[in-house]
Amino acid sequence: MRDERLTFFGYFRNIYTAVKSSLIGMWITFRYVWGKKPVTVEYPEVRDVLPDNTRSRLYNDALNCISCNMCAISCPVDCIYISSVPRPKDLDVPKCDDGTPKRQVLTQYVIDTALCCYCGLCTVVCPTECLTHTDDYEYSQYEVADMKYDYLSDDLIAWRDRLVKS
Amino acid sequence: MQTWDMDLEELKEEETNLPGTKLKTELLTVNMGPQHPATHGVLRVEIKTDSEIVAQAIPHIGYLHRCMEKHCEAIDYRGVIPFVDRLDYLAAMSQELTYSMAVEKMLGTEVPRRALVIRTIVSELQRIASHLMAFGTYALDLGAFSPFLYAFDEREKILTFFEEISGARLLYNYFWIGGVWNDITDRQLGYIDNFLNGFEKELVKYDKLVSSNRIFQERTMGVGTLSLADAHSFGATGPVLRGSGQAWDLRKVDPYLIYDELDFDIPIGEGQRGSELGDCYNRYIVRMLEMVESVKMIRQSMKLLEPGPVIGKVSKVIKVPKGETYTRTECPRGELGIHLVSMGDKTPYRLKVKSPCFTHTSILPHIAPGQMIADFVASIGSIDIVLGEVDR
């Protein structure tokens, strides 16, 4: 595109500089054949170690939840469905692990993981720190409706030991 | 070479009425995109071509429109941060910075010194990551594959650091209103220092591999020239404006964070290596030189890091007083402005984003006529648009 007058020597100089700069580039790429460690990991066999504060799948430890609704309020995409009823007065009030009394009975705690944007705002406001991000990232499903996880179901409560970081 | 400045209708008439022929020639309309790899996202460009030469290019935007500005009017101030992340997903930290600065300005919050320094380090690292992406994909557009992999290798190291401090790889939610989420440890500072030492050698390698390559220079020099007057009239900012030869950088002109304490230069396009001022090569080389400046800035700010808190005093429920503000920062792609109007509620009344990429997309119809289609690809790559920010 440049409007330079092409001379006889200019023609050969162009060829020379093009070949020379290409050879320099080829030498740089050629050196990657030996002596460079691979930077990728072969995923299913080798797994990268994720940092401690990785924001992956949410897990609510329903046994420690006091149904305060803070997580549902702070969620920017409204993917947490929580409902509770007041505990009858004649029953004893159970306590969480950190001593907070559970005045409400949790009747529903569902997170639609397909809607979740993994921003971490719900875990910050949680007063008993029962809602946490885990480092589990393998939970794909065949249907979108299956991405709704009910944290009061038995199989999810059984995951507690595996998922929750100490 | 034939000029294409004449009116398109006039051109058609002339082409169809060639004397002594019955064959008619007309312009061919080709849709480039929305799923074209060279458009860096979902941009559709309607190109009217005469054989290989572009006569007219009309960008059609809106394929990634997510109603972000309207949606932000319904969520509280902290919840907006994950949404501004998704504007320019290649430089999410810079978007968060602008938004949190806008809210802090209205609240009158004082950000602790350590948080300011961390913000400077992180946003300069983000600038390097974003420019590496621009560099890699630009080389990929022009047919060189290995620079893309080398750039991603280095970008990966920055993303690993971001993942450690924020917990996410791309959409961080790290800059909060009043400061930053997590503190940086000494081990992580050592990691950055190691990275910078290795990165300076990489920059030399990129220069040898791409910038001084004769084929790359022939593809970019004199292509897509944008004069300084045109850059002003289109409202270009960032590397596009600096590539046209004006030293305009908000970090110098209107300093925020701790940029007034740092010593750095503004790289501008000067027709380096025999290129034409304001062409694709100048815009490209400005990005490469900016990475060198960013390395300098990070080194200086790491020395200024003092112990202290990283988040200031912000009430639990943020209610911004009535009023409005316009905050602008220098993002990797140009000047990002956020116009925030508050009526004293828990949610913003209006959040207008002035996006540099949207402005730069309007340059495309101006520089396209008369280019080859392959050169048009080079022009799109050189203005480095991200469609998430164009459509919002």
Side-chain angles (χ1 to χ4, degrees):
Chain A
M1 279 277 197
R2 283 181 295 172
D3 46 7
E4 289 170 1
R5 194 60 56 83
L6 196 62
T7 58
F8 179 75
F9 290 108
Y11 178 77
F12 287 103
R13 201 168 51 236
N14 270 352
I15 293 175
Y16 171 72
T17 49
V19 169
K20 189 187 163 197
S21 59
S22 300
L23 282 179
I24 291 172
M26 278 178 169
W27 173 241
I28 288 168
T29 47
F30 185 69
R31 275 191 301 185
Y32 272 74
V33 175
W34 302 286
K36 297 275 179 187
K37 272 194 274 179
V39 288
T40 50
V41 291
E42 293 174 15
Y43 160 59
E45 290 85 24
V46 188
R47 273 147 212 264
D48 231 347
V49 181
L50 297 179
D52 289 339
N53 55 353
T54 300
R55 300 207 306 263
S56 195
R57 179 187 194 168
L58 279 169
Y59 181 78
N60 184 34
D61 184 7
L63 301 176
N64 278 327
C65 182
I66 57 165
S67 331
C68 65
N69 251 334
M70 291 294 280
C71 48
I73 292 167
S74 70
C75 181
V77 289
D78 298 335
C79 70
I80 302 176
Y81 310 110
I82 175 169
S83 58
S84 57
V85 289
R87 195 175 291 277
K89 280 192 178 138
D90 47 337
L91 292 180
D92 290 342
V93 178
K95 285 189 176 176
C96 300
D97 288 351
D98 64 346
T100 320
K102 295 202 278 186
R103 296 185 199 285
Q104 303 269 323
V105 182
L106 191 63
T107 53
Q108 185 201 24
Y109 198 99
V110 175
I111 295 181
D112 192 346
T113 327
L115 273 182
C116 178
C117 71
Y118 303 94
C119 58
L121 288 173
C122 53
T123 61
V124 180
V125 294
C126 186
T128 57
E129 292 179 6
C130 66
L131 183 63
T132 46
H133 278 290
T134 61
D135 54 5
D136 180 30
Y137 49 88
E138 293 167 317
Y139 50 98
S140 55
Q141 298 286 354
Y142 282 102
E143 287 183 20
V144 178
D146 294 342
M147 297 291 277
K148 279 188 182 177
Y149 289 99
D150 183 3
Y151 288 91
L152 290 175
S153 65
D154 292 335
D155 53 340
L156 271 155
I157 289 175
W159 284 359
R160 186 180 179 217
D161 300 332
R162 183 161 74 88
L163 292 175
V164 175
K165 282 165 280 187
S166 56
Chain B
M1 201 174 74
Q2 198 178 352
T3 54
W4 295 93
D5 291 342
M6 62 186 96
D7 196 32
L8 205 64
E9 293 299 316
E10 205 177 295
L11 183 84
K12 237 182 206 172
E13 210 166 273
E14 190 190 288
E15 289 282 310
T16 48
N17 297 325
L18 289 175
T21 50
K22 283 185 178 174
L23 283 174
K24 279 190 169 181
T25 61
E26 56 181 30
L27 297 177
L28 176 72
T29 308
V30 179
N31 273 309
M32 192 170 158
Q35 305 292 342
H36 194 282
T39 56
H40 297 241
V42 280
L43 173 69
R44 178 164 75 94
V45 189
E46 191 185 329
I47 306 175
K48 296 215 163 48
T49 62
D50 179 18
S51 65
E52 187 71 2
I53 294 169
V54 179
Q56 193 186 29
I58 309 162
H60 292 271
I61 59 170
Y63 287 90
L64 207 58
H65 188 64
R66 292 155 297 181
C67 276
M68 171 261 172
E69 285 178 6
K70 187 69 190 167
H71 195 67
C72 288
E73 292 168 16
I75 40 184
D76 58 348
Y77 282 95
R78 280 196 182 90
V80 172
I81 295 179
F83 284 88
V84 287
D85 269 348
R86 283 154 176 79
L87 285 178
D88 182 353
Y89 35 80
L90 296 177
M93 292 284 194
S94 313
Q95 324 284 311
E96 287 170 17
L97 173 67
T98 319
Y99 172 73
S100 47
M101 271 170 62
V103 180
E104 280 154 14
K105 204 163 137 190
M106 291 191 79
L107 284 172
T109 313
E110 199 179 320
V111 183
R113 169 82 181 165
R114 188 175 172 88
L116 286 179
V117 181
I118 289 178
R119 279 180 174 189
T120 314
I121 295 173
V122 167
S123 47
E124 285 310 312
L125 277 172
Q126 180 71 82
R127 188 182 311 275
I128 292 178
S130 172
H131 282 347
L132 276 175
M133 184 82 179
F135 157 77
T137 49
Y138 193 44
L140 190 67
D141 283 348
L142 299 178
F145 191 72
S146 34
F148 175 72
L149 297 176
Y150 303 158
F152 260 62
D153 186 10
E154 293 302 303
R155 180 172 173 266
E156 181 63 32
K157 290 174 188 164
I158 300 175
L159 292 197
T160 310
F161 167 69
F162 284 170
E163 194 182 2
E164 272 185 24
I165 56 171
S166 73
R169 280 175 56 82
L170 210 60
L171 306 161
Y172 310 102
N173 189 13
Y174 179 64
F175 290 170
W176 281 5
I177 296 159
V180 296
W181 188 347
N182 295 316
D183 202 352
I184 295 185
T185 60
D186 287 344
R187 188 187 59 78
Q188 286 160 342
L189 283 178
Y191 178 85
I192 301 174
D193 207 33
N194 264 340
F195 162 74
L196 292 180
N197 290 338
F199 184 63
E200 281 183 329
K201 285 173 201 152
E202 289 287 314
L203 279 174
V204 178
K205 192 168 87 181
Y206 299 157
D207 187 73
K208 276 188 199 161
L209 186 63
V210 180
S211 312
S212 55
N213 187 289
R214 181 75 190 184
I215 301 167
F216 180 80
Q217 288 177 356
E218 285 292 321
R219 285 294 306 275
T220 51
M221 283 181 180
V223 172
T225 308
L226 185 73
S227 67
L228 187 57
D230 283 341
H232 283 161
S233 67
F234 278 107
T237 46
V240 178
L241 179 64
R242 290 195 283 274
S244 291
Q246 180 160 15
W248 174 269
D249 192 322
L250 286 179
R251 290 170 290 174
K252 275 267 198 235
V253 179
D254 183 12
Y256 51 97
L257 297 181
I258 58 160
Y259 284 118
D260 46 350
E261 299 168 36
L262 304 180
D263 171 38
F264 63 99
D265 306 321
I266 309 174
I268 54 166
E270 299 160 333
Q272 283 100 333
R273 290 175 183 151
S275 59
E276 201 178 307
L277 186 65
D279 62 1
C280 292
Y281 189 79
N282 273 295
R283 291 195 279 272
Y284 159 83
I285 208 79
V286 163
R287 292 202 178 89
M288 303 307 283
L289 294 174
E290 266 184 27
M291 286 201 263
V292 181
E293 296 300 317
S294 292
V295 170
K296 260 164 66 183
M297 275 184 248
I298 296 166
R299 285 240 169 83
Q300 291 170 30
S301 0
M302 268 159 61
K303 280 176 196 150
L304 295 173
L305 209 56
E306 299 154 1
V310 290
I311 192 147
K313 273 182 188 161
V314 185
S315 63
K316 221 171 182 183
V317 177
I318 295 177
K319 272 192 180 176
V320 171
K322 204 171 172 180
E324 57 185 292
T325 179
Y326 181 78
T327 313
R328 52 183 190 167
T329 58
E330 185 75 27
C331 279
R333 283 173 184 76
E335 178 187 321
L336 178 87
I338 282 191
H339 185 189
L340 183 67
V341 185
S342 170
M343 285 293 175
D345 297 332
K346 285 184 204 167
T347 60
Y349 181 74
R350 178 84 170 94
L351 184 83
K352 168 81 180 79
V353 180
K354 184 260 157 194
S355 129
C357 296
F358 179 73
T359 323
H360 293 165
T361 316
S362 66
I363 298 174
L364 281 179
H366 176 72
I367 58 179
Q371 284 187 326
M372 299 280 185
I373 289 183
D375 288 343
F376 182 59
V377 169
S379 301
I380 297 179
S382 74
I383 61 171
D384 188 24
I385 46 175
V386 164
L387 268 293
E389 203 182 40
V390 175
D391 294 336
R392 301 193 285 280

